[in-house]
Amino acid sequence: MKSLRAQLLLRSVLIVMLLLLFIGVLQYLLMGQFLYHRTALTIQSEILGIPDSTWTENVLNPQPQSDAEDHHDSPFESAFGPLQDKANSIAFIDTSMQFHSIQVDASLGASPKLAKQVYQQLLAQGKAGNQYQLMANHQGQMQLVVLQTVGDHDSIHGIVEVATSTTNLQEELVRELLIFVGLTVFALLLAMAVFWPIISRTLIPLSRLVEMTSKINAGNLDARFSPKGAQTEIRQLADSFNAMLDRLDTSFQAERIANAKMRQFVADASHELRTPLTSIHGFLEVLLRGASQNPEQLARSLKSMHSESNRMGKLVNDLIFLARMDQVPQLLVKKADIAEVIHEMEPQLRLLAKDRTVVFQLSPQLFADVDIDKIKQVILNLFHNAVSHTDALLGEIKVFAYQEQRSIYFGVQDNGEGIESSLIPNIFERFYRVDSSRSHKIGGAGLGLAITKSIVDLHHATIECVSEKGAGAMFQVILPTHY
């Protein structure tokens, strides 16, 4: 059976059946012992109820019978009372081990002669000597043999041996067994009738869980199982299942967001690549119409195409870099002084700033485990971003680096146009530009800060922006030190 309800019912009934079977076997054995012991006690009581003189007068010293008594079948016809009224074979063993057969039952035969050691042990016990045992006669019929010593206060006369059939006892045992079997069948049927609704009610929470899981698919992960009123195991299963659904829902949402970002990324990349290609295509058309014959127009067209090709080359390189960072990014980490790394870049940064004012505030001995080339790229990207958003003559740019506790802070601050606070959460997204038209004029594709964020994340660091519209901007990296 594959049904859990049916399996639980079957196993419960099987346990009850095995328990009843054990009880039945135990009861059969104990009942048999009880019946044999009770019968033996009854026969021993009947033997002890016969006067002692009966054994001496009728067995040990029998009197000759008169002619008037010849018609009697036995000289002891009424001497032994109830013992002779039953289907018993009776014998007497005197102290000299002489075996006297008193009565022989036709179906049982004569009472069996036991080993002398048995009789001797009983005689040694005195008047307290008694025992019984089961044994088969010469026909294979089981009989109960009861032994009891008899005598007066002064001496023991002998042993009375009574053999009786166990047929009646076996029949009584069979009747008891049949009654028990009937009660067992009734108990099993009652157990099935009682267990089925109990098991069904117990499995209701599990059934609800199964029904709920059948309704869940990739597009419907909002359903949750309420473990209220359920058993501990079902509650634990429900909690684990709900936690799994939460993880799946989070994963699917993350996948949907990633797919949306990927589609947006592809669209933005296509747009950014199409713009320089369109410009180059336009200049080529102008040249094909005859502008190539005009040296001034030819020079201007070639210069523009060169600029657009450089822009397209930088965009492709940035895209390749981001693709590598997304797949298997690798860092060549070694201990370095961040202040020294920035100091080495000072000539390049001042050249990039042109007429802008550049200030370096660098604390010494800022050691951390970093990839030096990628940290330089972070500084260069942040500095280039500051140059792009400050005035060519009035612009002021500060490059700083210092340490607080176990973190190194470094970055770039400018006095440019600043960023609205509502836009700051988006500035590290790929192809995001605060001012799209201005970014095109300065050649930006919106990938610099995205690349910077990827590098910072690889170093298990964080980057933050503090800015207000018209009040400049500060980008700083918080890098944990590793010693």
Side-chain angles (χ1 to χ4, degrees):
M1 295 183 182
K2 293 186 178 181
S3 169
L4 179 60
R5 185 182 290 104
Q7 288 186 5
L8 289 175
L9 177 63
L10 180 62
R11 292 174 184 179
S12 300
V13 172
L14 182 61
I15 291 173
V16 173
M17 185 177 67
L18 292 176
L19 182 62
L20 291 175
L21 179 62
F22 172 76
I23 294 174
V25 172
L26 186 63
Q27 180 182 3
Y28 179 81
L29 296 176
L30 293 178
M31 181 64 73
Q33 293 295 328
F34 171 76
L35 290 176
Y36 295 141
H37 183 68
R38 185 188 65 181
T39 303
L41 288 178
T42 301
I43 293 176
Q44 289 168 354
S45 298
E46 291 175 350
I47 293 174
L48 294 176
I50 299 173
D52 295 337
S53 59
T54 303
W55 307 107
T56 57
E57 294 175 1
N58 295 285
V59 179
L60 299 178
N61 301 306
Q63 298 295 326
Q65 290 180 301
S66 61
D67 294 339
E69 295 171 339
D70 288 342
H71 65 279
H72 293 293
D73 294 334
S74 169
F76 317 120
E77 181 175 337
S78 60
F80 301 105
L83 290 178
Q84 285 183 302
D85 296 339
K86 300 176 181 177
N88 299 327
S89 293
I90 306 173
F92 186 84
I93 300 90
D94 59 26
T95 55
S96 60
M97 298 298 148
Q98 293 294 320
F99 191 88
H100 305 275
S101 182
I102 298 176
Q103 176 175 297
V104 178
D105 183 74
S107 60
L108 290 175
S111 185
K113 292 183 179 181
L114 305 180
K116 287 186 177 181
Q117 292 84 350
V118 176
Y119 299 135
Q120 290 172 351
Q121 290 175 0
L122 283 175
L123 290 174
Q125 295 176 15
K127 293 191 68 175
N130 62 75
Q131 74 171 40
Y132 68 91
Q133 56 182 283
L134 286 171
M135 58 187 305
N137 59 13
H138 62 281
Q139 298 176 349
Q141 183 180 1
M142 293 302 297
Q143 57 184 348
L144 178 66
V145 179
V146 182
L147 303 173
Q148 177 65 52
T149 57
V150 294
D152 54 23
H153 297 289
D154 299 327
S155 61
I156 297 298
H157 302 316
I159 301 171
V160 178
E161 179 180 300
V162 179
T164 185
S165 175
T166 61
T167 301
N168 293 335
L169 300 179
Q170 292 292 337
E171 290 176 353
E172 186 173 352
L173 278 176
V174 170
R175 284 195 300 272
E176 294 290 338
L177 185 61
L178 291 176
I179 292 174
F180 182 80
V181 170
L183 292 176
T184 299
V185 173
F186 174 76
L188 291 177
L189 294 175
L190 182 62
M192 293 178 66
V194 172
F195 286 165
W196 183 260
I198 293 177
I199 293 174
S200 299
R201 184 175 181 82
T202 303
L203 294 179
I204 287 177
L206 187 59
S207 300
R208 295 204 328 256
L209 183 59
V210 172
E211 292 175 0
M212 189 193 70
T213 53
S214 63
K215 299 177 182 178
I216 293 175
N217 52 47
N220 178 28
L221 296 175
D222 297 331
R224 294 294 183 271
F225 179 77
S226 175
K228 183 179 179 180
Q231 300 87 348
T232 301
E233 293 78 5
I234 301 297
R235 189 182 301 110
Q236 292 174 349
L237 177 61
D239 292 340
S240 300
F241 188 77
N242 289 339
M244 180 191 69
L245 287 178
D246 290 337
R247 292 193 296 270
L248 286 175
D249 192 21
T250 302
S251 299
F252 278 115
Q253 288 181 4
E255 183 182 4
R256 286 193 289 268
I257 294 173
N259 289 337
K261 287 185 176 181
M262 180 59 69
R263 288 192 294 269
Q264 185 64 39
F265 176 82
V266 172
D268 291 340
S270 301
H271 174 74
E272 292 297 330
L273 289 172
R274 185 172 63 247
T275 301
L277 287 174
T278 301
S279 297
I280 293 173
H281 182 73
F283 287 121
L284 288 174
E285 286 186 344
V286 171
L287 293 176
L288 289 174
R289 291 194 190 106
S292 60
Q293 303 301 323
N294 187 330
E296 184 180 348
Q297 288 186 351
L298 177 61
R300 187 167 58 250
S301 298
L302 291 176
K303 183 178 179 180
S304 298
M305 285 190 290
H306 182 264
S307 175
E308 291 296 332
S309 65
N310 285 338
R311 179 185 168 198
M312 186 167 60
K314 183 180 183 303
L315 176 61
V316 171
N317 289 333
D318 289 345
L319 291 175
I320 293 174
F321 181 86
L322 285 172
R324 289 174 178 172
M325 296 287 284
D326 288 341
Q327 293 176 355
V328 186
Q330 294 182 349
L331 293 178
L332 300 177
V333 177
K334 64 180 181 179
K335 186 176 293 186
D337 184 352
I338 301 298
E340 183 63 28
V341 171
I342 297 175
H343 183 68
E344 291 176 359
M345 298 179 64
E346 183 175 349
Q348 179 184 4
L349 298 179
R350 289 190 181 278
L351 182 62
L352 183 62
K354 296 182 180 180
D355 296 328
R356 296 170 180 84
T357 302
V358 181
V359 178
F360 289 86
Q361 295 180 352
L362 308 175
S363 299
Q365 304 295 315
L366 303 177
F367 287 99
D369 295 326
V370 296
D371 186 322
I372 296 176
D373 290 335
K374 288 186 169 55
I375 290 297
K376 286 183 176 181
Q377 187 169 1
V378 169
I379 297 296
L380 188 60
N381 286 348
L382 294 179
F383 194 87
H384 186 274
N385 185 72
V387 169
S388 301
H389 293 86
T390 54
D391 186 85
L393 298 176
L394 302 177
E396 295 180 2
I397 302 174
K398 180 174 69 173
V399 181
F400 61 88
Y402 62 93
Q403 182 171 353
E404 284 187 2
Q405 297 180 351
R406 297 183 63 84
S407 295
I408 295 174
Y409 294 75
F410 68 91
V412 176
Q413 183 175 0
D414 62 61
N415 65 342
E417 62 218 31
I419 307 171
E420 292 183 7
S421 57
S422 60
L423 302 178
I424 291 178
N426 303 320
I427 60 177
F428 295 105
E429 295 180 3
R430 297 175 184 183
F431 295 108
Y432 183 81
R433 290 183 292 266
V434 176
D435 187 342
S436 179
S437 60
R438 189 172 185 275
S439 296
H440 277 295
K441 292 178 182 179
I442 61 177
L447 293 177
L449 291 178
I451 292 175
T452 301
K453 180 71 164 58
S454 299
I455 296 174
V456 169
D457 290 342
L458 281 179
H459 284 82
H460 304 288
T462 57
I463 184 170
E464 60 184 21
C465 173
V466 179
S467 179
E468 291 182 6
K469 187 67 174 176
M474 180 185 70
F475 289 85
Q476 70 174 2
V477 177
I478 305 173
L479 176 68
T481 58
H482 302 286
Y483 292 98

